[in-house]
Amino acid sequence: MLELIIFDWGNTVMRDFPDYRGPMVTWPRVEVMPGIEGALQRLAQTYRLVLASNAYESNALLAQQALARVDLARYFCLILTSQELGAAKPDPLFFEQVLAAVETVPHRAVMVGDNFRTDIVGAKYAGLWAVWYNPGGATQPADVPFAADAEIRSFDDLDAAIQRIDCLAEGMI
C-alpha cells in the first residue's frame, strides 16, 4: 500500500520561469502549475506528501517560503532539497535519504515529476514507483530501458494514476 507521494518542485508543483534568477521566493512572480492545488488537496487526505527538489538556488526553508506565497506549503509534511540531502536526482541516494527522513520504504512511495531523466529514472533506480507529469506529450528517451509506472498530461489524471499504482503495490492488478 502506498503511503507517500514525493513531488518535484520546478515545473511540477510550481512553474519555473527561465528568465528569473536566484531563489524562487525572491522572484517577482510565482505561479502554480495548472491543476496542482486540487490534486494536492485531494491526495493529502490519504497520503503523506513530500516536496523533494534539486533546487540549486533554494534550500528547504526558501522552498517552503516560495510555496507559502501561493498557499501550497500546507500540503507538504516535509520539504527537502539537494542542499539538505547532499545528493541530487537521479542519484538513488537522493531518494534513499528522502525515504529515510519520512521512515518509509521504496515500494510504499511514488515520485511525481516532469523530468524523465532525473525524476523518473532516479526514482525507478531507487525502487520507487514513478508518475511522469508530461503535459507537452514529450517522447520518453529511447535509451532508457523502462517506462514510468504512469504518465499523465494533466493533474486531473493524477488521482487515477495513484490509485492504479496503489493497486499494483497491493498486488491487486
Side-chain angles (χ1 to χ4, degrees), residues 43-87:
L43 292 169
Q45 295 175 32
T46 306
Y47 306 98
R48 291 186 294 163
L49 307 182
V50 168
L51 184 108
S53 172
N54 281 346
Y56 302 107
E57 296 182 307
S58 296
N59 60 24
L61 177 60
L62 294 174
Q64 188 276 334
Q65 291 170 345
L67 288 163
R69 285 183 62 186
V70 291
D71 199 29
L72 292 186
R74 61 193 165 118
Y75 295 112
F76 298 99
C77 67
L78 185 62
I79 297 168
L80 295 166
T81 72
S82 56
Q83 290 186 28
E84 290 82 28
L85 297 172

Side-chain angles (χ1 to χ4, degrees), residues 40-161:
L40 293 173
Q41 184 177 38
R42 291 185 303 273
L43 292 169
Q45 295 175 32
T46 306
Y47 306 98
R48 291 186 294 163
L49 307 182
V50 168
L51 184 108
S53 172
N54 281 346
Y56 302 107
E57 296 182 307
S58 296
N59 60 24
L61 177 60
L62 294 174
Q64 188 276 334
Q65 291 170 345
L67 288 163
R69 285 183 62 186
V70 291
D71 199 29
L72 292 186
R74 61 193 165 118
Y75 295 112
F76 298 99
C77 67
L78 185 62
I79 297 168
L80 295 166
T81 72
S82 56
Q83 290 186 28
E84 290 82 28
L85 297 172
K89 298 177 283 181
D91 186 340
L93 180 61
F94 177 95
F95 296 95
E96 291 165 12
Q97 291 181 342
V98 170
L99 296 175
V102 294
E103 300 178 342
T104 194
V105 294
H107 69 274
R108 292 185 173 269
V110 61
M111 175 71 198
V112 178
D114 70 302
N115 187 305
F116 197 91
R117 291 203 181 272
T118 58
D119 300 321
I120 306 310
V121 170
K124 295 303 291 177
Y125 278 131
L128 284 73
W129 301 93
V131 175
W132 185 22
Y133 172 56
N134 184 16
T139 303
Q140 175 182 318
D143 62 335
V144 178
F146 52 79
D149 297 295
E151 179 180 336
I152 60 170
R153 301 273 170 94
S154 161
F155 281 113
D156 292 338
D157 300 325
L158 183 57
D159 299 57

Side-chain angles (χ1 to χ4, degrees), residues 9 14 17 20 22-32 37 61-74:
W9 187 23
M14 294 180 72
F17 291 105
Y20 294 158
M24 187 182 286
V25 69
T26 66
W27 292 0
R29 179 173 128 202
V30 293
E31 186 177 299
V32 301
E37 185 170 10
L61 177 60
L62 294 174
Q64 188 276 334
Q65 291 170 345
L67 288 163
R69 285 183 62 186
V70 291
D71 199 29
L72 292 186
R74 61 193 165 118

